[in-house]
């Protein structure tokens, strides 16, 4: 469950009137040209990609460290993350939809989501990769699909959760209006459910894609037992550069990655946020809005509009007509059977068949699950006591490390966040900086930090805590800023009026005020830190493998050496720990935040 | 009598409890909507007005009984109704035009025809020029106009309205109401019947040809009568005010006899709430009760309830719980639609805060079983505190989950005010008030008496 505070939104001053006039008048032709250019570029990209994908797989790709190879690598990585994201989006919508509307499976599916969310990316690796390579043995696409699915497993769960909870919170009267006006399931989806869920989906998409960058290195280059998988991409470039200790290449790689992230932000997220503004479920218009030139480009382009008029609109119309015809036909059938008096018999027969079909499918699924679960568990028999002892020791070490990382991160983010939140002028300077800093995936920076640490004599034990912090402290910081901004001015004035001491001010005003936000940030950070342990505790550097005691290291090492039984047990332990901590610690705190420390009514 | 468009036959709604009991929301009810009439459904909150509306439209399925649309079961009929919602229920991401067009899209109408009809209805409700606006750019009244346009564009046979004017300010509501009446009387719209749920008595008398008044615990029809005043109706006319007064009388009078108890096939017991152990506490605050009593004293101890409501610009949902509460506590009596203050009530109204609390405490202990039980439970325990859970479970047998929570909230509110007990919200426990010092308190009280 990841929620971003409002402070993530951008505030930008509007153009002066005269300028915006010029801007409007000269646009349309240029706009059309731009759109056409984008279309052509997409076409070229698709052709190149198809050529590469459907070529034969080259198992030992040498990753070139030349900067000239970077654009191509970056392109491949972007496509991978993009496809994984699209896949996540469709899956999230489907999963959320079924979970929200199926009374029978709802509880099961949500519990499943909770567990899946706590399983680190690498644990999916062997299964996904072996399946994909077996599916397409002679084509590169198999490997590619595997990498995309891996990125997908890191992105999808929070999006599914967001869609599900949006569906669950649709206002009752809106949903009744759709029923009384006979919206079909599809019209309901497009007019009510998707728009209502858009804002949540957009924010979670941003988090998900950032997560994709974080695990890119792990997903593009890995050893699985005796096989060494490498895909050309930015992640593998950075990893190769790190393991050879080539600082210039690391620099180039980092610069490319930051450039891409900034570009995505400007060219994709900003227009999408500006566009999603209209889906805000609010009764009055709010003052500040995000603007995006690119969105304007699309909205003002005649080509786009006429394309829409001649393709999307007629298609939608004929679609709605067909749906309505089906509805009418079904209704006719029902009425006829009612007139004949066979309605109940028909219904019963139908229900019986559906019941039988359901039973069969359920039995098959159940059988399959039991069978594979039994097999998986029998794998666990091969684990020696010594190995399970190692896993438990690792779990404790990682638990300790995650909490140290959270405490250290809180120690600096709370004062800084409160300071930023209380001083609007400081916020204006600090926030964009923090945003850029937060968007650089910590894994990319890690080689640099680690090399520095090794030179100073520190080990991975300390380094992994630093990496966890790098990845997760931002969630806490942004939430604290938002929380501090949300503390009403009167409360702060009361504190000043009665001359509260500093300690008293923190105890009675600031900490309770930011508490709900802090909890949100900590929950997200804690989940992220657990997941980050797989890349933080085990690292290839300069032809050697650095590792420390920890559950993440166990998982990574097990993947490398192909010891599936250890991988399985370690994954189960990690999922159990994360879910248990969520249930026992975070959920009660969350409830407390929602009830006692909620500001306002 | 015109043939019925929608007819409900012995419909009821209940929620099964895990135990033997079930919570009856609406007891078996017959109701029909005929061609050419505006029906108003009036009732206090908790009488199941909205639930009844939703059963009549087919949105909600009755627990028992059936609803017929032109004498066919509503589930197998092509029902043509619309609802205007209290919260407008517009899609904020669609423009005014797209909002109005959406129901036509659902019917598979082609774009040109859709456009024509939507523009025509927007023109009818006075929204031309606004078609490209988003709902959030409009005022409340304009938004409800969009709600009306969307409801009317499908040319419904029956137009349902669920408190359509209660989110609007008085003037806007008046304006919209009269425009609706005009459309209906001039037959500008092909709608054949209107069904409006409201808790505003004057609104019902202004609009309706027929008024149905619901009682609660569980919801049942108390009276169903025709209004034969000519339009336009004058609020000041004697016939009008008499009708309003009459409805207040119906609403405040206790039922002569409870509605018939339904038989269940499953053999589950159905209990009438009035025969139950706990009375239903009206959700009024002590401050409100005190305010009402003070007002009554100013009016020489007796007044028409509808006049009181008028004075306070209260609707029945605001006023009736306070009247009920004062009645339960023995501070006033309701006779013939008049509220009459009792001697204790007068004393309460004239006292200072500490004496008021004392009177409230005595009255509450005497008349409210739940409060009495809580106090006894606390005193019986050696550690002088008792969990809320226990009372929650006891009440849950009798009320729905939401109502149980509200009952407890009211009980806590009254108990805290009367200093009967203290309530620790974080541990959810009742306990004795902390600075329990009866001597000091009675001293203070006697000082005030002197």
């Amino acid at each position: 469950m990841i929620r971003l505070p409002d402070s993530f939104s951008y505030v930008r001053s509007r153009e002066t009137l005269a300028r915006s006039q010029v801007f409007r008048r000269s646009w349309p032709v240029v706009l059309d040209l731009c759109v056409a250019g984008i279309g052509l570029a997409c076409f070229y990209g698709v052709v190149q990609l198809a050529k590469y994908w459907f070529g034969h797989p080259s198992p030992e790709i040498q990753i070139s460290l030349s900067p000239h190879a970077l654009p191509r690598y970056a392109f491949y990585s972007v496509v991978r993350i993009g496809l994984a994201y699209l896949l996540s989006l469709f899956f999230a919508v489907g999963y959320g939809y079924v979970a929200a509307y199926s009374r029978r499976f709802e509880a099961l599916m949500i519990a499943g989501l909770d567990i899946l969310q706590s399983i680190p990316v690498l644990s999916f690796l062997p299964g996904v990769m072996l399946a994909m390579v077996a599916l397409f043995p002679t084509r590169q696409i198999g490997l590619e699909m595997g990498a995309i699915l891996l990125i997908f497993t890191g992105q999808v769960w929070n999006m599914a959760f967001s869609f599900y909870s949006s569906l669950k919170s649709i206002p009752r009267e809106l949903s009744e209006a759709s029923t009384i006006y006979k919206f079909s399931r599809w019209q309901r989806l497009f007019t009510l459910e998707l728009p209502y869920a858009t804002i949540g989906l957009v924010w979670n998409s941003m988090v998900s894609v950032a997560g994709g960058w974080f695990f890119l290195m792990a997903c593009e280059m890995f050893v699985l037992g005796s096989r060494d998988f490498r895909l050309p991409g930015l992640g593998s470039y950075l990893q190769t550069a790190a393991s050879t200790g080539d600082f210039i290449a690391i620099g180039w790689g980092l610069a490319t990655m930051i450039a891409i992230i900034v570009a995505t932000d400007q060219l994709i997220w900003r227009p999408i946020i500006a566009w999603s503004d209209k889906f805000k479920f609010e009764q009055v218009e709010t003052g500040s809005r995000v603007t995006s030139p690119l969105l304007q480009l699309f909205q003002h382009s005649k080509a786009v509009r006429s394309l829409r008029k001649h393709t999307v609109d007629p298609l939608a119309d004929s679609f709605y007509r067909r749906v309505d015809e089906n509805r009418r036909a079904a209704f006719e059938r029902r009425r006829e059977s009612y007139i004949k008096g066979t309605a109940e018999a028909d219904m019963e027969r139908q229900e019986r068949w559906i019941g039988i079909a359901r039973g069969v499918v359920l039995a098959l699924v159940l059988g399959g699950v039991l069978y594979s679960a039994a097999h998986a568990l029998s794998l666990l028999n091969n684990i020696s006591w010594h190995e399970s002892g190692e896993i438990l020791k690792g779990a404790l070490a990682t638990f300790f490390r995650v909490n140290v990382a959270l405490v250290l991160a809180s120690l600096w983010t709370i004062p800084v966040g409160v300071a930023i939140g209380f001083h609007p002028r400081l916020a204006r300077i600090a926030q964009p900086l923090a945003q850029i800093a937060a968007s650089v995936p910590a894994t990319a920076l890690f080689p640099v930090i680690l090399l520095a640490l090794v030179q100073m004599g520190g080990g991975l034990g300390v380094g992994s805590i630093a990496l966890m912090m790098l990845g997760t402290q931002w969630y806490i910081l942004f939430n604290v800023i938002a929380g501090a901004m949300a503390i009403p001015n009167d409360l702060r004035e009361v504190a000043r009026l009665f001359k509260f001491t500093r300690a008293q001010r923190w105890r009675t005003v600031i900490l309770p005020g930011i508490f709900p936000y802090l909890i949100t940030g900590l929950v997200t950070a804690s989940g992220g830190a657990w997941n980050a342990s797989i890349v933080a505790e085990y690292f290839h550097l300069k032809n050697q493998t650095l590792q420390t005691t920890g559950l993440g290291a166990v998982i990574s090492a097990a993947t490398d050496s192909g010891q599936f039984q250890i991988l399985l047990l370690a994954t189960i332990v990690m999922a159990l720990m994360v879910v248990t901590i969520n249930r026992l610690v975070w959920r009660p705190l969350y409830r407390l935040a929602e009830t006692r420390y909620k500001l306002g009514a | 009598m015109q043939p019925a468009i929608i007819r409900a036959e012995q419909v009821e709604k209940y929620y099964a409890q895990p135990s033997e009991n079930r919570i009856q929301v609406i007891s078996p009810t017959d109701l029909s909507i005929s061609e050419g009439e505006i029906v108003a459904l009036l009732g206090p909150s908790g009488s199941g007005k909205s639930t009844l509306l939703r059963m009549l439209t087919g949105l909600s399925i009755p627990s028992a009984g059936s609803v017929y649309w032109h004498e066919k079961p509503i589930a197998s009929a092509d029902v043509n109704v619309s609802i205007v919602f209290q919260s407008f229920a517009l899609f904020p991401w669609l423009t005014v035009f797209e909002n109005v067009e959406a129901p036509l899209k659902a019917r598979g109408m082609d774009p040109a025809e859709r456009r024509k009809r939507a523009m025509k209805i927007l023109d009818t409700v006075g929204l031309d020029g606004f078609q490209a606006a988003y709902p959030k750019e409009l005022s409340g009244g304009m938004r409800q106009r969009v709600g009306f346009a969307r409801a009317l564009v499908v040319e419904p046979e029956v137009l349902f309205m669920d408190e359509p004017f209660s989110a609007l300010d008085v003037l806007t509501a008046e304006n919209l109401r009269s425009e609706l009446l005009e459309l209906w009387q001039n037959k500008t719209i092909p709608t054949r019947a209107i069904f409006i749920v409201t808790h505003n008595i004057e609104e019902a008398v202004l609009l309706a040809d027929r008024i149905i008044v619901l009682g609660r615990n569980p919801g049942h029809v108390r009276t169903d009568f025709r209004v034969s005043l000519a339009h336009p109706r004058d609020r000041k006319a004697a016939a009008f005010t008499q009708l309003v007064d009459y409805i207040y009388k119906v609403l405040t009078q206790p039922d002569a006899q409870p509605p018939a108890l339904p038989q269940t096939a499953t053999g589950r017991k159905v209990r009438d709430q009035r025969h139950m152990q706990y009375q239903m506490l009206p959700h009024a605050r002590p401050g409100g009760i005190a305010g009402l009593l003070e007002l009554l004293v100013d009016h020489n101890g007796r007044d028409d309830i509808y006049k009181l409501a008028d004075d306070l610009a209260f609707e029945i949902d605001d006023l009736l719980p306070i009247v009920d509460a004062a009645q339960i506590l023995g501070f006033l009596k309701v006779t013939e639609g008049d509220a009459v203050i009792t001697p204790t009530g007068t004393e309460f109204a004239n006292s200072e805060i500490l004496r008021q609390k004392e009177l409230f405490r005595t009255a509450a202990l005497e008349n409210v079983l739940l409060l009495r039980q809580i106090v006894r439970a606390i005193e019986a325990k050696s550690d002088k505190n008792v969990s809320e859970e226990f009372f929650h479970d006891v009440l849950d047998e009798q009320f729905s989950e939401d109502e149980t929570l509200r009952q407890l909230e009211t009980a806590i509110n009254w108990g805290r005010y009367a200093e009967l007990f203290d309530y620790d919200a974080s541990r959810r426990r009742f306990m004795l008030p902390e600075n329990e010092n009866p001597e000091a308190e009675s001293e203070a009280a006697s000082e005030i008496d002197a």
Side-chain angles (χ1 to χ4, degrees), chain A residues 86-394:
Chain A
L86 282 183
L87 198 61
S88 307
L89 187 65
F90 282 107
F91 182 88
V93 168
Y95 194 96
Y97 194 88
V98 176
Y101 288 117
S102 155
R103 219 168 286 163
R104 208 168 301 177
F105 297 120
E106 182 174 353
L108 188 73
M109 288 177 84
I110 293 311
L113 214 53
D114 216 15
I115 292 169
L116 285 168
Q117 205 168 4
S118 62
I119 294 179
V121 172
L122 271 189
S123 301
F124 291 109
L125 197 151
V128 167
M129 268 308 169
L130 296 178
M132 280 301 148
V133 173
L135 214 55
F136 304 97
T138 58
R139 294 278 180 270
Q140 182 68 23
I141 193 173
L143 269 182
E144 284 293 332
M145 281 295 160
I148 288 169
L149 272 180
L150 274 187
I151 302 174
F152 161 85
T153 58
Q155 292 183 335
V156 67
W157 316 120
N158 60 323
M159 290 169 63
F161 200 86
S162 151
F163 190 65
Y164 163 81
S165 48
S166 293
L167 286 188
K168 279 301 201 183
S169 62
I170 288 178
R172 176 164 159 234
E173 294 203 327
L174 273 188
S175 118
E176 282 178 347
S178 329
T179 312
I180 207 78
Y181 294 121
K182 299 178 186 157
F183 285 11
S184 58
R185 216 170 250 228
W186 288 102
Q187 194 179 5
R188 208 181 138 89
L189 182 69
F190 289 123
T191 327
L192 175 61
E193 287 153 349
L194 278 179
Y196 189 76
T198 298
I199 302 255
L201 273 181
V202 167
W203 287 116
N204 278 288
S205 298
M206 293 176 68
V207 174
S208 282
V209 171
W213 284 108
F214 191 90
F215 288 108
L216 188 65
M217 291 169 81
C219 295
E220 282 185 347
M221 192 169 159
F222 45 83
V223 184
L224 185 60
S226 58
R227 296 183 70 177
D228 187 359
F229 292 94
R230 279 171 202 206
L231 291 168
L234 201 50
S236 49
Y237 178 92
L238 275 168
Q239 203 171 331
T240 314
S243 53
T244 52
D246 184 342
F247 280 102
I248 298 166
I250 292 179
W252 277 110
L254 267 181
T256 313
M257 195 177 246
I258 293 171
I260 291 173
I261 288 169
V262 171
T264 337
D265 196 58
Q266 287 297 313
L267 298 180
I268 297 178
W269 296 128
R270 216 182 152 86
I272 286 181
I273 292 169
W275 165 80
S276 71
D277 196 61
K278 75 170 178 179
F279 299 113
K280 258 190 204 152
F281 195 74
E282 58 185 7
Q283 296 304 324
V284 282
E285 214 158 352
T286 44
S288 66
R289 275 180 144 189
V290 182
T291 56
S292 158
L294 195 70
L295 180 69
Q296 263 172 343
L297 188 154
F298 275 105
Q299 282 173 339
H300 288 253
S301 162
K302 273 194 197 131
V304 171
R305 203 177 314 155
S306 83
L307 195 69
R308 196 184 139 170
K309 200 171 158 192
H310 288 110
T311 56
V312 179
D313 289 354
L315 272 178
D317 271 325
S318 75
F319 178 71
Y320 281 130
R321 209 168 310 136
R322 201 141 5 105
V323 168
D324 181 63
E325 275 161 21
N326 285 344
R327 183 183 67 88
R328 269 169 216 271
F331 164 70
E332 267 319 303
R333 269 201 305 279
R334 223 171 33 219
R335 202 175 56 175
E336 265 167 35
S337 64
Y338 170 71
I339 291 168
K340 283 188 215 139
T342 54
E344 275 171 26
D346 270 4
M347 203 97 94
E348 252 172 45
R349 200 167 340 129
Q350 218 172 354
E351 255 167 38
R352 203 179 319 138
W353 276 113
I354 291 175
I356 290 174
R358 259 199 203 139
V360 169
V361 170
L362 213 65
L364 282 178
V365 170
L366 210 67
V369 169
L370 280 180
Y371 177 80
S372 31
H375 263 254
L377 284 180
S378 73
L379 262 184
L380 294 184
N381 270 337
N382 303 330
I383 300 177
S384 66
W385 284 110
H386 171 72
E387 282 164 331
S388 18
E390 282 296 308
I391 290 177
L392 280 183
K393 207 165 76 188

Side-chain angles (χ1 to χ4, degrees), chain B residues 102-155:
Chain B
L104 298 178
K105 231 182 198 173
R107 286 166 199 231
M109 201 175 276
D110 72 272
E113 176 72 14
R114 238 164 36 204
R115 185 163 187 84
K116 208 180 87 197
R117 290 223 198 170
M119 291 312 281
K120 188 170 154 247
I121 202 74
L122 284 175
D123 190 39
T124 310
V125 301
L127 276 171
D128 26 330
F130 284 96
Q131 57 269 28
Y134 284 95
K136 61 182 155 200
E137 299 171 64
L138 304 180
S139 66
M142 290 311 247
R143 264 183 248 165
Q144 192 58 301
R145 276 172 201 266
V146 182
F148 273 109
R150 186 178 61 178
L152 292 173
V153 78
V154 294
E155 309 197 328

Side-chain angles (χ1 to χ4, degrees), chain A residues 397-433:
Chain A
T398 303
F399 177 73
F400 173 73
R401 214 166 276 137
V402 166
N403 288 320
V404 170
L406 286 186
V407 169
L408 286 179
S410 308
L411 278 183
W412 82 263
T413 52
I414 293 177
V416 171
V418 168
I420 294 178
F422 278 180
H423 299 97
R425 207 182 304 157
L426 193 59
R428 230 169 296 144
I429 307 165
Q431 217 159 321
L433 284 180

Side-chain angles (χ1 to χ4, degrees), chain B residues 410-425:
Chain B
T410 303
I412 289 168
N413 199 349
W414 288 13
R416 276 175 168 168
Y417 173 81
E419 294 175 30
L420 286 169
F421 51 76
D422 222 338
Y423 175 69
D424 182 345

Side-chain angles (χ1 to χ4, degrees), chain A residues 529-572:
Chain A
W530 275 99
N531 261 338
S533 70
I534 56 164
V535 280
E537 294 173 348
Y538 188 88
F539 209 86
H540 296 286
L541 192 72
K542 281 194 185 168
N543 290 327
Q544 51 175 327
T545 306
L546 294 177
Q547 64 168 317
T548 176
T549 317
L551 202 52
V554 173
I555 289 179
S556 296
T559 317
D560 269 12
S561 55
Q563 288 173 297
F564 297 135
Q565 66 280 19
I566 292 184
L567 176 68
L568 183 65
L569 185 62
T571 305
I572 291 175

